[in-house]
Amino acid sequence: MFNTLKKTSLALLVASTALVQVSCKDDGDATDKTGNWYRKDLPSFGGSIRTNAVSFVIGDVGYIGTGYTNETVARVKDFWAYNAKTKIWSQAQAFPGTGRNNATAFVVKGKAYVGTGYDGVLAVDNGYKKDFYEYDPATNKWRAVADFQGGTRQFATSFVVNDRAYVGLGYNGINYYQDFYEYNPATDKWSEIATFIGGKRSGALSFTIGNKAYVGFGRSNSGASTKDIYSFDAAGNGGKGAWTRIAFGDTDKEADFPVRAYALALVLNNKAYVIGGEGRSDVWEYEPGSNIWTEKAPFQNARGFAAGFVVDNVGYFGTGSSGGSGGSDDFWGFDPNAAINEDDDQ
């Protein structure tokens, strides 16, 4: 059963081997940029203040759960469902695995899958996880599925193309990863696919537009944040997938484009919006085909490790960290094409 509370939500995210031209444009200072962030008439997140949660959307309901909180038991397993029409948060069935942060999530055919992450139980694999669970919103129940074949890790990234899920990258306290695996829910089996050509990294983001996925940004195994992005063609390389780096045509513009890690991406009207990241508040729109990046109005403050989803072509974004160890429970709507309205910040 669902316990009903009033409160709000946003996002989902993607990965690719050739070369494509990209340009970027900066539209001046923040007041000249389009994109309206608003929380007027929206409730806060239904659960406790947190950061490093997972999020996904099924149909017209957004979900946020797990993460690191200000509670006595810091790593939690609660899940919350947001109805954008009624603007009400309802508590869903709790995640059946250990409470954790830095997990990953994806949705295939109306069911969500959540796994990997870090639970802080050092006696078991130093706290790094590989277990996965399926959530069915029709029954509000979870069940265990096959463990992730790539082994334990946190800060993996995931995306879905043609009803197959792909999970890779991340960090397990010793190693950074550049591997990727395909998951077939029909058979409950994982299989290794083409290695990511952007190198080992953690905290990358991903998104899917049409039949292509994109993976990029994140922190490399040298500790440096990155700004490169790659497309993924699932049919390439004999079905093993093919990665292609999307290159900037103008090296001067590439030099000015900011690096980031632990950011969030969401897709609205076949364009991707890359939001924030550790120590960052800027927002960039990516248009596939033309491969143009356009800067939009920034978020209200630097925000990394956030959650979010899209419902009815509205983006929702919140939780996460503005710096230090504290989390957040605020939630905002985002209209990338509207003019800034400061009255909506209340």
Side-chain angles (χ1 to χ4, degrees), residues 7-24:
K7 301 208 172 185
T8 325
S9 302
L10 190 249
L12 273 179
L13 326 152
V14 143
S16 242
T17 315
L19 259 216
V20 183
Q21 301 272 306
V22 169
S23 64
C24 70

Side-chain angles (χ1 to χ4, degrees), residues 224-239:
S225 292
T226 61
K227 58 185 176 182
D228 50 341
I229 189 165
Y230 301 79
S231 67
F232 177 74
D233 179 0
N237 193 25

Side-chain angles (χ1 to χ4, degrees), residues 5 15 20 25 59 67 81 104 109 129 147 153 185 196 204 208 266 279 281 287 292 295 298 310 319 328 335 337:
L5 277 187
V20 183
K25 54 184 185 178
T104 194
K109 291 187 174 181
K129 310 303 293 180
D147 286 353
R153 68 188 67 190
F196 180 64
T208 302
L266 61 123
S281 62
E287 184 172 356
I292 291 175
E295 189 168 13
V310 173
T319 69
S328 307
D335 181 343
N337 298 314

Side-chain angles (χ1 to χ4, degrees), residues 260-339:
R260 74 190 66 233
Y262 311 110
L264 183 72
L266 61 123
V267 174
L268 288 158
N269 296 317
N270 293 316
K271 295 180 181 179
Y273 295 87
V274 173
I275 304 169
E278 188 175 32
R280 303 209 62 90
S281 62
D282 53 323
V283 177
W284 290 82
E285 174 190 87
Y286 172 70
E287 184 172 356
S290 65
N291 296 315
I292 291 175
W293 290 93
T294 303
E295 189 168 13
K296 310 298 282 187
F299 186 63
Q300 305 301 307
N301 52 47
R303 185 68 61 93
F305 311 101
F309 48 79
V310 173
V311 176
D312 292 333
N313 280 322
V314 175
Y316 297 92
F317 176 86
T319 69
S321 175
S322 297
S325 59
S328 307
D329 66 356
D330 59 339
F331 246 82
W332 298 72
F334 179 59
D335 181 343
N337 298 314

